Structures are given as structure tokens and as C-alpha cells.
Amino acid sequence: MKANLRIGITQGVNLTPQLLQSIRLLQLTAPQLEQELRQALERNPLLEQEEIEDEDAEEAVPEAAAVEVAAWDELPEPAFLSGGATGGGDEDATLRIADGESSDPRLRLLRELALHWDPADLEVAAWWLDHCDDRGYLERPLDELLAAARAAFPHRAGDVGLLRIRLLHGDWPGMAAADARECLAAQLRALPADASTGLAARILDQQMELLAAHDVDALAAATGADPGAVQAAVATILSLRPHPVQAPVAAEDGHIVPDVIAWRAGGGWRVALSSRGAPRLRIAPHCERALAGSDHQVLRGLLDEARWLVRGVNMRNETLLRTAQVLVERQAGFLDHGPEAILPLTLREVADAIGMHESTVSRIVSGKYIQTPRGTFELKRLFAVRLEGAEVSGAAVRAMVKRLIDEEPANAPLADDVIAGLLARQGIRIARRTVAKYRDQLSIGPARARRRAATRPARPSRQEYV
């Protein structure tokens, strides 16, 4: 065996305990931050709760804190942002930080896949997940995405389709499905095989229209099966999830504590951090003065810990406030006029506006809620993808589709091509299949089903039979 000596230079980030704590604080929601700070009050005698005299007063971030903000901006991006796993052999150290369950389903699934997928396959899986909507369906036609995937991974052009199939029949059956038929078929395949699932698979493959009409007799005639067996097969299909995205394992709280509050004042929108719950901490002045010249290791350690915590909370609050201000400024039209006025906005645009990295913006908005006169919702809702070939967002067009359907005559519902024509008159040119996609996302049936529902006579109540 021959020993070789190599000399090389590598670039990396030294994840100090202070930086790790700052990153963890950045990702905490309002209830989690409150719990963290109250535990720190009990654990560290050098900390005390600061009385808030002016809730609108803003604290400047210390200069040292700004340096640490720049440090965490250099950390590797999460896999769902970069489109793949981090390089360099070792896993991203930020993944070992204890935190709550992510609200992003793609990130939750990637964490599960990382346990048994190869890094190279995980990179392609992340690409497919980035092209899925929040329900887990592909955002664009399968043929277009296959061509784009082969261009993105030319060295694996023959594997990208197989890896989507592996996702489709993997940990979350139906993930990255092209349509509802493929999603439900993947979930059926994951069930134990019996006569009911076999008949259900035939119905999904050949009789989707009769299934949508819930016509058991017609299904029995078309499949040649007994009506009782058809009823059991339909019940099996109805027991499946309408979309593949799974909810987090952890139970959600029954209420939401907003992290940010936005309100109209003086002709514009104002933003402030919510002061409910989380205490404001500071280092007790008399303790800091007493330890100025002390070399007591335990007390000096407590003092350093208190300083790191106060500094990290200040950085977290400052970053959250600046991010929320940019989001509210860019989406003022949405807050004033509703979903139809939401503008295209990406993580990169917000990151450029506040002078930070996309990964920092992603961490600070994950799981955070904003309270507005229009309701309380996740900060992520203020991001919107630009509709291809247009200056509006897909979310705005989806809201327009919903409004047109809500306002349509009950006896003459609008077909998808008619809706596309009405939108074209407003300067928004989209295909009929795009209208159908948005209608499916809104859980609205086609024009034929809406007309049938409007003309179906109401069933008499039991009192009318008496």
C-alpha cells in the first residue's frame, strides 16, 4: 500500500454554538419562542424580563449580530431550494438542529427519503418535488416536465422518469402524480391485493366518468361485476386521499398565534411583531456590572449564554420584521383588494430586498403567521409563482376563475374554454387545460356536473312523507 500526502484548500462555514443557536431561534414560531425564553428565564439567573413601555419602539440590531447574520447567510441552502442534496460528502449540519415539524410537505418528504435514497437519486427527487403543487400533483404536463428533467440532468436522462415512478409508489403513494387517476391508482397499489382493490383499479383505469357520477348500476353493467362488489370497490376508492400530501405527524394546535401583525394606518400599511406571549429578555444590569472583572468560570459561562440568547432573539426578530415589511409592501394590493390582486413574488426577490440569502428568508417564513384585516395566514401565502408568459401570478388567476364560477348563472354554468375566453378579454391568455387545473385545485366540478347539480330536484324531507 502506498501512502500519499495531499494538500488542498476547501471553503466552509464553521458552525459555532452561537451560530447554531441563532439559526435555531430563526426557525422558531411564536409559541416555540415563548417556551424557549421562559425556560431560559428559569435556567439562567442573569436574565430578567424587560418591561415593555412602548410596543412600537424598535431596537437596533447590535453590530456583532449583523456579523452573525452574514455568517448564517453563507450556510448551504436547504435541499428543496437548491434542487438537490448538499455536496461535500457530509450532511448539512443545520439538519441536525432540533426544530419543529416543517410546514413544507416537500421538505418533510425529502427528510424521509434521505434515510434510504442515494444522494444522486435524492437530487432528482428534489427536482420533481419542486415541480409539484402544495397537494403533491405535477404543476405542468408530464411530457413537458420530462423534457425539462432530461435537460436538467443530461447524465441521467434515462432515469428521471423512473425516479418519478419511484416517488409515485414510494413513501407517500401518489406523490408527483400527473392527475387524480394516477394518484388514486398508486394508493390502491399500496393496499393489500384482493378482489375489491382489483375491481377498483379497473374502475379507475376505464370508468372514471361513471365513478365521478357515482352511478353504481352503470359501473356494474360496464365492468360485468355484481353491484355489491362494485359498491365495495367504490367505497375503497372513496377511502383514499384526494391528494398525496400527508399531514405532519405532530398534532396541530387548535389555535394560531400570529408572529407578525399588519394593519392600515396613515394611508399605508404598517407592520409590527406580535408582543403576545413571548417575554422580552435582557441581562440584569447589576449582574453584568458585578461580573465585569470576575474570572468565575461558571458565572462567566452563564453571562456568555445570556448574551448569545439576547443577541440571537434580536437577530430573529429583526429579520422577521424586515421580511414581513417587504412582503406587505409588495402584496399591498392583495391586502387591499383580495386574492385576485396578488403579485408574483419569489424568495430571491425578497432576499435581494433585505440583503440576505434565499435560505435565510426560507427559514424565517417557515411556519410563521401574519395577522391582517383579511385574516390570519402563513407568510408563505404572500409568495406567488408568475404565470408563464404573463405578468400575473397563478394564484391571482385561480382566484379569477373562482369568481367567474361563483357568478355564473345556475342554469348555464361556464365551460372551461368559455372561462379562458373571458380571461383573455382581460389580457390574461391561458389554455383551457390551465383553467381545468385551477378548477380542480378549487375542488369545483366541470360545467356538466355543476349543471346537473343545479337542476337536480331536492330530496323531500321525512316530514313531507308524514
Side-chain angles (χ1 to χ4, degrees):
M1 180 181 293
K2 184 178 180 181
N4 294 324
L5 180 64
R6 294 183 180 180
I7 300 176
I9 299 176
T10 59
Q11 184 178 8
V13 179
N14 184 20
L15 293 174
T16 63
Q18 302 96 308
L19 183 55
L20 287 172
Q21 183 187 47
S22 299
I23 297 170
R24 188 171 62 85
L25 291 172
L26 188 72
Q27 300 175 116
L28 295 181
T29 62
Q32 292 169 344
L33 180 63
E34 177 184 359
Q35 181 180 6
E36 178 82 12
L37 297 184
R38 296 198 182 280
Q39 289 177 352
L41 273 174
E42 298 176 359
R43 184 177 61 248
N44 195 328
L46 303 185
L47 289 170
E48 66 178 14
Q49 185 169 350
E50 182 180 356
E51 298 296 333
I52 302 176
E53 297 180 359
D54 184 6
E55 295 185 356
D56 294 331
E58 297 182 0
E59 291 185 352
V61 179
E63 183 176 354
V67 174
E68 291 189 9
V69 168
W72 83 46
D73 276 344
E74 298 172 4
L75 289 172
E77 297 183 36
F80 74 93
L81 282 178
S82 61
T86 56
D90 293 336
E91 65 175 344
D92 183 359
T94 58
L95 297 180
R96 298 192 292 268
I97 301 172
D99 59 355
E101 188 71 27
S102 172
S103 61
D104 191 326
R106 292 173 286 267
L107 184 56
R108 294 202 308 272
L109 180 55
L110 279 176
R111 286 179 177 174
E112 294 182 19
L113 297 180
L115 298 176
H116 51 86
W117 280 48
D118 295 334
D121 293 343
L122 196 65
E123 183 180 2
V124 180
W127 188 92
W128 280 111
L129 293 178
D130 284 342
H131 290 81
C132 293
D133 59 24
D134 292 336
R135 301 177 306 156
Y137 288 105
L138 296 179
E139 292 181 325
R140 291 160 53 192
L142 178 58
D143 292 340
E144 294 182 15
L145 288 177
L146 279 173
R150 293 186 182 109
F153 304 95
H155 59 292
R156 306 202 61 188
D159 296 335
V160 290
L162 296 177
L163 289 172
R164 186 193 76 90
I165 298 299
R166 187 178 172 189
L167 268 178
L168 184 69
H169 299 286
D171 294 10
W172 292 7
M175 196 68 186
D179 52 30
R181 184 201 306 269
E182 194 174 38
C183 171
L184 295 175
Q187 294 181 52
L188 267 181
R189 186 174 176 181
L191 297 178
D194 57 21
S196 179
T197 56
L199 180 57
R202 286 173 51 199
I203 292 174
L204 282 177
D205 186 47
Q206 304 171 6
Q207 307 296 336
M208 279 292 289
E209 292 186 2
L210 294 179
L211 175 64
H214 298 281
D215 194 339
V216 175
D217 294 334
L219 283 172
T223 58
D226 182 79
V230 171
Q231 189 70 44
V234 171
T236 300
I237 295 174
L238 294 179
S239 68
L240 304 175
R241 294 188 308 274
H243 52 78
V245 169
Q246 298 182 5
V249 176
E252 297 287 341
D253 292 335
H255 63 282
I256 293 174
V257 178
D259 301 83
V260 185
I261 299 174
W263 72 98
R264 254 200 172 280
W269 285 94
R270 299 187 62 185
V271 181
L273 298 180
S274 174
S275 60
R276 291 180 291 180
R280 180 174 296 182
L281 302 188
R282 69 178 180 184
I283 303 173
H286 63 280
C287 294
E288 193 168 17
R289 288 193 300 267
L291 293 174
S294 173
D295 58 354
H296 194 287
Q297 293 185 358
V298 176
L299 293 179
R300 294 294 303 181
L302 289 174
L303 180 60
D304 291 339
E305 180 184 339
R307 286 172 174 169
W308 296 340
L309 178 63
V310 172
R311 184 179 302 164
V313 172
N314 285 340
M315 285 191 295
R316 181 253 187 203
N317 292 342
E318 176 70 12
T319 307
L320 177 59
L321 182 61
R322 291 170 60 191
T323 302
Q325 285 174 336
V326 172
L327 289 173
V328 169
E329 288 173 2
R330 299 289 180 89
Q331 300 295 8
F334 163 73
L335 296 175
D336 286 330
H337 306 293
E340 293 188 25
I342 193 167
L343 298 176
L345 187 62
T346 63
L347 287 171
R348 181 178 295 276
E349 292 172 347
V350 176
D352 292 343
I354 66 175
M356 291 186 178
H357 198 274
E358 289 178 65
S359 60
T360 302
V361 177
S362 175
R363 290 186 181 102
I364 198 61
V365 301
S366 180
K368 308 297 192 306
Y369 285 82
I370 181 171
Q371 177 181 319
T372 72
R374 193 164 289 279
T376 300
F377 44 81
E378 273 195 285
L379 283 171
K380 285 184 176 181
R381 186 177 173 186
L382 296 177
F383 293 93
V385 179
R386 184 183 303 275
L387 189 66
E388 187 174 357
E391 295 299 322
V392 296
S393 66
V397 177
R398 184 168 58 244
M400 295 177 190
V401 171
K402 185 178 185 305
R403 174 177 55 81
L404 290 173
I405 293 177
D406 289 343
E407 295 176 354
E408 68 185 5
N411 59 344
L414 302 176
D416 294 341
D417 53 351
V418 175
I419 294 176
L422 293 175
L423 292 175
R425 295 181 183 178
Q426 303 178 34
I428 303 171
R429 300 188 178 277
I430 60 175
R432 180 199 60 78
R433 64 182 181 186
T434 305
V435 175
K437 180 185 75 171
Y438 289 150
R439 180 174 48 71
D440 290 339
Q441 292 177 1
L442 294 167
S443 299
I444 298 175
R448 179 178 52 193
R450 300 200 302 274
R451 181 184 298 110
R452 185 165 55 244
T455 57
R456 183 180 300 160
R459 298 180 61 181
S461 63
R462 295 185 62 182
Q463 293 181 353
E464 295 179 9
Y465 286 113
V466 178

